[in-house]
Amino acid sequence: MTKNKVALVTGGSRGIGRATAIELARGGFDLAINYASDGVAAEEARELARSAGRADIQIELLKADISDSVERAELLKGVKTK
């Protein structure tokens, strides 16, 4: 990701999480969108956010179950290295 503001959106593939990702993209953030299982919905969320954001927006999709402490730690580690 670039040196723009970055937001991690958990549950970002559907519902409130997806709406939040879209609004953050409109606000100029690059995004890390977390999802637990539905990769198709996550891709749709990425495309909606991309169309709402800057032309050079960076959006990563990160699959992880945040209720699992190991997966949560790996998710956060992945966001920090982007």
Side-chain angles (χ1 to χ4, degrees):
M1 293 191 172
T2 63
K3 293 189 181 202
N4 296 313
K5 300 175 283 185
V6 177
L8 167 62
V9 182
T10 59
S13 65
R14 305 177 319 189
I16 294 170
R18 179 185 282 196
T20 300
I22 292 166
E23 286 303 311
L24 287 166
R26 282 189 185 123
F29 284 79
D30 285 334
L31 300 172
I33 297 176
N34 160 253
Y35 67 101
S37 60
D38 191 345
V40 172
E43 287 288 344
E44 290 171 359
R46 176 173 28 201
E47 291 312 309
L48 290 168
R50 187 176 312 283
S51 67
R54 310 179 320 272
D56 66 338
I57 191 170
Q58 299 291 312
I59 304 173
E60 298 286 332
L61 298 180
L62 303 168
K63 182 177 180 183
D65 176 356
I66 64 168
S67 69
D68 180 294
S69 62
V70 173
E71 287 191 37
R72 186 173 54 245
E74 288 298 312
L75 171 68
L76 294 173
K77 187 168 124 181
V79 172
K80 289 180 183 177
T81 62
K82 302 287 182 203

